[in-house]
Amino acid sequence: MMKLKQAVVMLLLLGSGEPTWAHGGHNDAFKEAAAAPTVGQVKVAPDVQQALGIKTAPAGEQSLSTSLQVNGQIQAVPSQSAQISAPVTGRVLKVQIQPGQVVQKGQTLLVLDSPEIRELAVEAERTRTQAQVQVTQAQSRVNLAQRTYERERELVDLKISPRKDFQVAQAELQQAQGDLVAARSLVKLSGALLATRLAQLGRARADGQVALLAPFAGVATHQEVSVGEAVEPGKILFEIVNLNPVWAVAQVYEKDLGRVRAGQAVEVVTESYPGKVFRGQVTSLDPTVNAETRTLAVRVVLANPERLLKPQMFATLRLVTGRTAQPVTVIPRSAVLDVDGKKIVYVQNGDAFVPTEVQLGQVSGKLVAVTDGVFPGDQVVTERAFQLRAQSLRGDVPTEEGASSQATDKPATEAAINTLPNWVWLLGALGFSTVTFLAGIGVARRGVVNQPLSPAYFDRVESKKDA
């Protein structure tokens, strides 16, 4: 049955007219390709295209934004980067985060055990105890002076004791009261020094444990310590970097400075995320030009909520300077393959995909202008083009003489046969039968004509002449 279907398909193909091309502008090129198929051309049945996820889109025509393209680098915003250093002498008890871990503001990074804090706490307790003793003694003196004062006042009122003794008792009472106030102040001050020191350290306890906290949300980097390690004040332990937002910094040549200004729209792309565009604005320009490179640094602030952009990552900055005067042919950037230094796209022509070299122009976001190779309306492969490239490298494509390998033609032919409607089979079978019948008649006639004449035939002819 399959052979019959294949015969019908071949008959229909032989009887069909010219094939339908992808676009009028390609008529000559694709007709030449039909006579001598293009090396690398791949034929894929529609159902196979869907299964492989091959997607196409028509080449468009529109006006693009013009830009100045410069190379740059991603950097952390200086105000959003902090080095966490040891505030006191101590030993690391706990490390609660790892490099690369996202931390929140106020989260504990590590815990130190500080002998200094313990000594300070012990000294504060000793001072407080001594101050309490002084308070008790001063209180006793105040009580005694109070009783003496009251007695002397009564004697003075009765005119028994001289007024001088009353004044002495009054002065002693005031002195005792002053000593009590001073003693009570010492009690308060004995804990104030410790409290102030603990407040300076953030989250610290009197037993000597000091917790170092993240000053803002970000990512921990550059862990420099481990559990049990002794540290001195000022030693760098961690670095916290907030990667949202980040800077994109580029060097613009002196000759191009007239095309750059603060507030200018910028599109940033990286090799790490092909097709993804990060957008921002020029926030600042250096005030002076570098005397050696004749360039000036331009900074762009980029939102980075997913933290995809990393410090020191290379980037390409496109500073938007205007728009093209006339519409140009554009295709998605994802459609372009870099093959042996050439830019290649696959143009769909029915079930065939023809590799076509293109010349590219202005890039704008996810689109790129094409100056030569495709025309508006051409169906170009935008997804899975690399699979077509891989298929062609395996040799499953037509050769230069037009012959294709069995591995490619058989599945494609069977897929094409299975997708034809029933009326095509009926028409094809009828035509095939008619051709076979006429061919049989022709063969029979040729057999009769070419058959040698017997002697009896000549005798019958002579007898008819005599009659």
Side-chain angles (χ1 to χ4, degrees):
M1 182 63 182
M2 180 57 66
K3 290 184 177 180
L4 176 60
K5 290 185 176 180
Q6 291 177 350
V8 172
V9 170
M10 295 300 297
L11 182 63
L12 293 177
L13 291 177
L14 290 173
S16 61
E18 293 186 352
T20 301
W21 309 112
H23 185 272
H26 284 300
N27 275 345
D28 295 337
F30 280 136
K31 286 179 181 178
E32 293 176 2
T38 305
V39 176
Q41 175 175 310
V42 181
K43 290 187 176 181
V44 183
D47 55 341
V48 180
Q49 295 177 27
Q50 184 176 4
L52 293 177
I54 297 175
K55 295 183 179 180
T56 63
E61 190 174 22
Q62 67 181 61
S63 176
L64 290 181
S65 59
T66 58
S67 62
L68 171 65
Q69 183 167 302
V70 292
N71 295 325
Q73 193 176 54
I74 303 300
Q75 296 181 5
V77 180
S79 61
Q80 298 297 313
S81 176
Q83 291 182 332
I84 310 302
S85 59
V88 293
T89 301
R91 188 175 300 277
V92 179
L93 290 180
K94 300 177 183 178
V95 177
Q96 298 189 345
I97 62 169
Q98 301 297 326
Q101 180 177 340
V102 177
V103 298
Q104 303 301 322
K105 181 178 180 179
Q107 182 176 340
T108 300
L109 306 178
L110 55 79
V111 178
L112 296 176
D113 176 48
S114 173
E116 175 188 337
I117 298 301
R118 284 201 302 274
E119 292 175 2
L120 188 60
V122 170
E123 181 64 26
E125 184 62 25
R126 182 170 54 250
T127 303
R128 186 173 185 279
T129 300
Q130 293 174 353
Q132 287 286 8
V133 172
Q134 294 178 7
V135 168
T136 301
Q137 293 174 350
Q139 185 65 56
S140 298
R141 289 195 296 270
V142 168
N143 294 339
L144 178 59
Q146 183 68 37
R147 290 193 297 270
T148 302
Y149 170 77
E150 291 176 355
R151 185 176 65 252
E152 290 296 331
R153 187 178 59 183
E154 291 177 357
L155 293 175
V156 169
D157 291 341
L158 295 173
K159 297 183 180 181
I160 297 176
S161 176
R163 190 170 185 80
K164 183 179 67 173
D165 293 341
F166 168 74
Q167 292 176 344
V168 171
Q170 185 180 24
E172 290 178 351
L173 175 60
Q174 293 174 348
Q175 180 65 39
Q177 290 175 338
D179 293 342
L180 178 60
V181 172
R184 288 174 175 172
S185 297
L186 288 176
V187 172
K188 294 180 180 180
L189 291 175
S190 63
L193 181 60
L194 176 62
T196 301
R197 186 57 172 150
L198 294 179
Q200 291 176 345
L201 298 176
R203 187 181 299 170
R205 303 189 320 197
D207 62 359
Q209 290 195 10
V210 180
L212 302 185
L213 309 179
F216 45 73
V219 178
T221 61
H222 304 300
Q223 178 182 344
E224 302 292 343
V225 292
S226 57
V227 175
E229 182 177 347
V231 296
E232 296 293 331
K235 177 179 174 57
I236 304 300
L237 309 179
F238 274 103
E239 183 176 6
I240 303 298
V241 178
N242 182 13
L243 297 181
N244 185 27
V246 293
W247 275 355
V249 182
Q251 301 294 327
V252 177
Y253 284 102
E254 182 178 5
K255 63 182 181 64
D256 295 322
L257 292 182
R259 304 171 63 185
V260 182
R261 66 185 186 280
Q264 187 173 5
V266 181
E267 297 175 345
V268 179
V269 295
T270 64
E271 292 185 355
S272 302
Y273 310 105
K276 187 173 182 60
V277 180
F278 302 86
R279 291 180 170 81
Q281 292 182 337
V282 175
T283 57
S284 64
L285 295 83
D286 276 359
T288 58
V289 174
N290 187 304
E292 296 180 357
T293 63
R294 310 309 302 174
T295 60
L296 183 141
V298 176
R299 293 174 183 83
V300 179
V301 175
L302 300 175
N304 190 30
E306 299 177 1
R307 298 183 175 89
L308 299 179
L309 300 176
K310 313 293 184 183
Q312 311 309 317
M313 179 183 289
F314 289 111
T316 300
L317 283 68
R318 295 195 293 267
L319 289 76
V320 179
T321 58
R323 301 194 68 84
T324 55
Q326 300 294 332
V328 294
T329 303
V330 295
I331 60 174
R333 294 176 58 207
S334 60
V336 182
L337 298 179
D338 195 344
V339 179
D340 298 331
K342 299 179 180 179
K343 303 301 182 181
I344 301 295
V345 300
Y346 278 89
V347 179
Q348 184 178 17
N349 181 39
D351 290 347
F353 296 92
V354 182
T356 305
E357 183 178 355
V358 294
Q359 301 297 325
L360 303 181
Q362 178 70 37
V363 177
S364 179
K366 295 183 179 180
L367 299 177
V368 59
V370 180
T371 59
D372 187 32
V374 298
F375 300 89
D378 284 349
Q379 290 288 335
V380 297
V381 177
T382 58
E383 293 188 22
R384 304 289 184 177
F386 64 91
Q387 286 194 343
L388 297 176
R389 171 64 179 168
Q391 185 79 1
S392 67
L393 292 177
R394 287 200 295 267
D396 300 337
V397 294
T399 63
E400 294 184 0
E401 291 76 18
S404 59
S405 66
Q406 183 178 359
T408 300
D409 287 347
K410 184 175 180 180
T413 303
E414 292 179 356
I417 290 173
N418 293 331
T419 56
L420 291 176
N422 293 331
W423 66 268
V424 175
W425 297 119
L426 181 59
L427 180 60
L430 180 59
F432 183 75
S433 301
T434 303
V435 172
T436 304
F437 177 74
L438 294 177
I441 294 176
V443 171
R445 287 180 175 177
R446 286 195 300 272
V448 172
V449 172
N450 297 328
Q451 183 178 2
L453 300 179
S454 62
Y457 173 81
F458 290 104
D459 293 339
R460 289 194 299 270
V461 172
E462 290 297 331
S463 62
K464 288 181 180 180
K465 289 183 178 180
D466 294 337

